[in-house]
């Protein structure tokens, strides 16, 4: 792969060609650089709105769709918080019909992957969206927004610069190895960059180039990002024993699963927050799953005691059946769990083995089919015992 | 237990093939396990694996899904999709060290009454060897 100056970017190609094409620097921190860039795109009428993480008050952060240029200074697109999976939010905006005026969407790699899964599931459309993403240093738990965010940010950005792992990150980010976006039109290379001072912008697609045409920038060579990416990948791999060691999936069995979900209060927040758990009326919330009096009697006769509300493992294992093939490991489920069950670690672990069966990586490519919605004629013979 | 263990088997049978095969087995007086509970579905792909999970968690000793042979699905491709979903479910149960061998997917056409009898009897035997599903009496699960 060659950039405009003919420089080879071998190592970038190893990053699944995600980071390629042109690269330039802006002498401003990423959020400022993005605000400038987006304001100029809005001025020129190239985009009608911006979808990004925004600060809406003290300790208040949420995704927002902004069409009034004056409100752009609310956006904090690289602040390491994820109040919702943005893929799910964009799905809500585009499910009924595609957006008509171009919108710039800034989201993290796992959010982009979730959105691509949702497109395959016919829950979202990509028309008229310009995707801006970045090499992702991970996010902090959402509750940090209330307590000590500023303190933790300093350490966080230090780790991003050197390709390290910050202890305060969500578990799912500590082990995430898909932190280089695929499918973005524009990528900021935050990892390995001195983000307090400058922003490195890569243009990954012709669409990205079209949008940026007319902005004045000087192309530059790849900087120290590659080494930092490698380092981050290694450090994250090292986190695995710690994160997945919270449970030994292979040894769980029914007793282990019962213990792991022993604190579950059945709020189903994990499913509501999950981008790829998308049914508007959830099977596990249907009245038909309530035990009728005769079932109750049978169950009690058999077991002597029932856990209430019923359906905990039915929901958890059932949800794994439904979503593990598309799970993007974003960590939303763990983040919203009020009783700190490591849901995401479990799901990510299972997603690895299920997706691995089909050589699939969820959301890697919007064109690729979800393995459960396609098949090979000759495969898998009769299965079971 | 003094009584001989007779496994409770839940069978999800496709209307267009295996369910008809069950009928045929019956009218030909072929033996079918007495404790097989059949549930008629319109296609093997109608079976969401959570249905199988539900049967398992509630204590079914064995769970069988039977549909049309590959290539013969009434809806063209249902059984191919069912096969993938079933494999996925298997993988998850296996990864957790759960009893994935209490589940089976088989293809039985409408004319294969004999095969229906063989498959169900053989499966019942296999489950008998495994013994009762321990989940049935486990307190505080589900
Ligand atoms: S899961 Fe990966 S891509 Fe998503 S926020 Fe965490 S580090 Fe970034
Ligand atoms: S299961 Fe959890 S980690 Fe996986 S996509 Fe859903 S919310 Fe994200
Ligand atoms: S969010 Fe936690 S408590 Fe609520 S259903 Fe999910 S695992 Fe259970
Ligand atoms: S109709 Fe029998 S498996 Fe689809």
């Amino acid at each position: 792969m060659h950039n405009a100056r003919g420089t080879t970017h071998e190592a970038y190609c190893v990053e699944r060609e995600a980071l390629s094409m042109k690269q330039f620097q802006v002498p401003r921190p990423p959020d400022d650089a993005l605000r400038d860039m987006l304001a100029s795109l809005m001025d020129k009428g190239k985009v009608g709105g911006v979808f990004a993480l925004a600060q809406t008050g003290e300790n208040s952060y949420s995704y927002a769709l902004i069409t009034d240029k004056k409100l752009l200074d609310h956006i904090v697109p690289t602040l390491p918080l994820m109040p919702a999976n943005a893929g799910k939010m964009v799905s809500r905006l585009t499910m009924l019909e595609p957006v008509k005026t171009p919108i710039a969407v800034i989201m993290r790699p796992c959010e982009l992957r979730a959105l691509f899964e949702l497109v395959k599931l016919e829950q979202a459309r990509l028309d008229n969206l310009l995707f801006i993403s970045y090499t992702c240093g991970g996010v902090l738990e959402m509750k940090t927004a209330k307590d000590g965010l500023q303190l933790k940010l300093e350490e966080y950005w230090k780790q991003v610069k050197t390709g390290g792992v910050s202890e305060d990150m969500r578990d799912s980010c500590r082990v995430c190895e898909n932190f280089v976006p695929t499918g973005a039109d524009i990528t900021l290379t935050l990892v390995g960059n001195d983000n307090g001072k400058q922003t490195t912008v890569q243009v990954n697609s012709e669409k990205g180039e079209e949008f940026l045409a007319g902005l004045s920038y000087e192309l530059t060579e790849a900087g120290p990002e590659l080494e930092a990416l490698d380092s981050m990948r290694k450090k994250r791999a090292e986190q695995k024993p710690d994160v997945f060691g919270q449970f030994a999936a292979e040894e769980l069995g029914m007793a282990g699963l019962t213990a792991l979900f022993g604190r579950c209060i059945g709020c189903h927040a994990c499913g509501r927050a999950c981008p790829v758990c998308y049914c508007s009326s959830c099977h596990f919330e249907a009245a038909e799953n309530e035990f009728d009096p005769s079932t109750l009697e049978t169950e009690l006769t058999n077991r002597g005691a029932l856990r209430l509300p019923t359906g905990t493992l039915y929901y958890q294992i059932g949800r794994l059946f439904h979503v593990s093939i598309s799970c993007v490991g974003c960590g939303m489920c763990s983040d919203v769990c009020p009783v700190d069950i490591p849901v995401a670690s479990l799901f990510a672990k299972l997603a690895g083995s299920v997706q691995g069966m089909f050589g699939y990586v969820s959301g890697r490519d919007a064109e690729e089919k979800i393995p459960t919605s396609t098949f090979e004629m000759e495969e898998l013979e009769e299965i079971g015992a | 237990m003094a009584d001989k263990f007779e496994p409770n088997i839940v069978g999800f049978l496709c209307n267009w093939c295996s369910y008809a095969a069950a009928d045929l087995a019956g009218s030909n007086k072929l033996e079918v396990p007495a404790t097989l509970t059949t549930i008629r579905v319109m296609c093997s792909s109608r079976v969401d694996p959570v249905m199988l999970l539900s049967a398992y968690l509630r204590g079914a000793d064995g769970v069988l899904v039977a549909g049309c042979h590959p290539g013969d699905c009434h809806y063209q491709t249902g059984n191919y999709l069912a096969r993938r979903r079933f494999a996925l479910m298997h993988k998850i149960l296996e990864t957790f060290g759960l009893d994935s061998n209490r589940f089976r997917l088989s293809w039985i056409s409408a004319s294969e009454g004999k095969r229906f009898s063989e498959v169900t009897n053989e499966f019942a035997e296999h489950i008998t060897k495994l013994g009762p599903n321990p989940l049935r009496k486990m307190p505080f699960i589900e």
Side-chain angles (χ1 to χ4, degrees), chain B residues 14 16-17 42-44 67-68 73-75 79:
Chain B
C14 164
W16 302 101
C17 50
M42 287 310 282
C43 175
S44 59
C68 315
C73 172
H74 193 73
Y75 309 98
N79 47 6

Side-chain angles (χ1 to χ4, degrees), chain A residues 85 110 114 170 172 270-271 273-277 319-320 323-324 326-334 343-345 347-348 351:
Chain A
N85 185 301
C110 60
R170 284 185 185 176
S172 46
C270 43
C274 173
V276 292
C277 205
R319 208 171 85 75
L320 273 169
V323 311
S324 55
S326 287
C327 168
V328 294
C330 66
M332 279 310 304
C333 47
S334 281
V343 198
S345 306
F347 274 63

Side-chain angles (χ1 to χ4, degrees), chain A residues 249-255 257-258 283-284 289 291 295 299 302-303 305-307 310-314 317-322 324-325 346 350 353-354 357-358 371-385, chain B residues 48-51 53-54 56-59 69-70 77 80-81 83-98 100-107 115 119 122-123 126-127 134-142:
Chain A
E250 296 78 4
E251 291 152 30
L252 278 175
M254 198 41 76
L257 280 169
T258 315
H283 167 75
F284 300 101
N289 287 318
F291 284 14
T295 310
E299 289 290 299
N302 285 340
R303 301 180 198 278
L306 272 182
R307 195 179 184 283
T310 57
T312 302
L313 287 186
Y314 179 51
I317 305 175
R319 208 171 85 75
L320 273 169
F321 286 180
H322 285 171
S324 55
I325 196 72
L346 187 74
L350 270 285
S353 57
V354 163
M357 282 170 78
F358 303 101
T372 41
S373 66
T374 179
F375 58 87
E376 301 279 339
M377 298 271 191
E378 307 289 334
E379 62 173 4
L380 303 169
E381 291 324 304
E382 289 187 25
I383 316 157
Chain B
D48 177 339
V50 302
M51 296 167 159
L53 174 67
S54 175
Y56 173 57
L57 290 174
R58 298 251 180 116
H69 286 271
T77 58
Y80 292 118
L81 294 166
R83 185 168 65 181
R84 282 212 163 184
R85 273 186 230 150
F86 196 89
L88 183 149
M89 174 202 77
H90 233 253
K91 184 81 184 172
I92 291 176
L93 296 175
E94 238 168 53
T95 310
F96 281 141
L98 298 179
S100 56
N101 51 4
R102 290 184 186 274
F103 298 81
R104 178 174 295 186
L105 175 65
S106 288
W107 312 129
R115 181 171 155 77
V119 166
E122 196 231 310
F123 187 51
H126 164 81
I127 300 290
L135 266 49
R136 183 159 169 265
K137 295 192 174 220
M138 228 182 245
F140 305 122
I141 72 152
E142 287 192 282

